[in-house]
Amino acid sequence: MKQIQEIINIFLPAKNLNFEKMGPTNPNARGIPVPSSKKGFHLDKSIEKVCPTGGLKVSSSKEVTFDYGACLQCGHCVEASSGQLENSGFVHVYSADREALKVRYIDGVPASYEEEVSENVKQFRKITKNTGFQYREVAASGNNATEAEINASFNAVFDSEASMVRVVASPKHSDAVVFAGPVGPNMEIPLQVAWDTTPGPKALIACGTEAVSGGLFQRGKLPKEPDLFIGGDPPRPDVIVSAFRYLMGRKKFSFREELSKFLTERRSKS
């Protein structure tokens, strides 16, 4: 009977995720690296060379800056840190403010920062909060890993359309342009054309570390400064949908506030 039930469960509809109650961490993921919660934080400057994207800067033994918009969440810096850095499992790395993803730690404590939201994002939220939005995705010289996760965001578990976010074939019918990849020379013009064709008011969304910072590559020319930055190489489907909900104003979220809260709770348990 147990085997029969397992077979039946395979064909049963999957249960949708509750994005209202979803937390910023995932126990099955490395997430972004953070200073260890142990006392006596001390990091050697040589660890900068381990980061493949240059997203890690050590100013002194007690001060380190992570650009989480350039972080691949590969875990290499953690492995080389002799226990001074840890994988956090914190995967909800997104913000409308690019500078918010650059976090400076002093003795393991993140510096305070007030995230800013542009007027364009505020206007976009007014229009899309109750109606949702449609977007055209542009694969801008990436390896299609982010596209695979975007595809998964529409399956029965993540169900992007239940959050009123839909993908369309033409930028003429879209409210936003989502691009993935570092925008190679041959994709600069197609991305610009997609953006110019999209009617306003509209939003430009950088999805994945390569789109945010270039990742391992030099990022190409963009039509404008993105309105939303989603870190991760690639970001998970639940992170992508949550970020879209945040952009619409349907999800209250501040990357810096959530990260500080997470680290404070973590230190209190250690």
Side-chain angles (χ1 to χ4, degrees), residues 47-242:
I47 200 171
E48 289 182 349
K49 300 177 182 179
V50 176
C51 180
T53 64
L56 169 60
K57 300 297 180 184
V58 180
S59 302
S60 70
S61 60
K62 297 291 184 180
E63 182 177 343
V64 58
T65 300
F66 285 99
D67 181 357
Y68 291 127
C71 180
L72 303 176
Q73 301 178 23
C74 62
H76 289 340
C77 61
V78 173
E79 295 173 0
S81 70
S82 301
Q84 296 301 302
L85 299 176
E86 296 178 352
N87 292 313
S88 65
F90 196 105
V91 292
H92 283 239
V93 183
Y94 53 84
S95 177
D97 184 349
R98 176 68 178 91
E99 293 302 309
L101 302 183
K102 300 175 183 178
V103 182
R104 180 168 62 97
Y105 294 89
I106 300 176
D107 203 17
V109 179
S112 60
Y113 181 85
E114 190 73 24
E115 291 185 48
E116 298 182 358
V117 177
S118 69
E119 288 301 321
N120 191 63
V121 170
K122 293 178 182 178
Q123 182 65 24
F124 190 78
R125 284 179 174 172
K126 288 181 181 180
I127 297 172
T128 62
K129 185 173 183 178
N130 296 322
T131 62
F133 70 93
Q134 301 184 147
Y135 69 88
R136 173 71 169 97
E137 198 272 336
V138 177
S141 310
N143 58 10
N144 284 334
T146 297
E147 280 75 15
E149 300 301 275
I150 289 176
N151 289 339
S153 73
F154 289 95
N155 68 25
V157 176
F158 305 104
D159 199 2
S160 180
E161 292 193 357
S163 293
M164 297 192 295
V165 179
R166 299 166 291 276
V167 65
V168 292
S170 172
K172 293 180 181 180
H173 305 147
S174 67
D175 306 294
V177 172
V178 176
F179 72 96
V183 191
N186 292 335
M187 287 306 299
E188 289 180 355
I189 293 178
L191 179 59
Q192 182 70 57
V193 170
W195 175 253
D196 291 341
T197 307
T198 303
K202 53 189 175 181
L204 182 65
I205 302 172
C207 191
T209 296
E210 288 184 340
V212 174
S213 65
L216 295 170
F217 310 95
Q218 180 70 37
R219 194 182 66 176
K221 182 181 178 181
L222 304 182
K224 66 179 286 289
E225 180 75 1
D227 298 288
L228 176 64
F229 303 88
I230 309 175
D233 187 48
R236 295 168 53 90
D238 51 324
V239 174
I240 294 173
V241 177
S242 292

Side-chain angles (χ1 to χ4, degrees), residues 105 107 245 257 261:
Y105 294 89
D107 203 17
R245 292 172 63 88
E257 288 182 7
K261 179 181 177 182

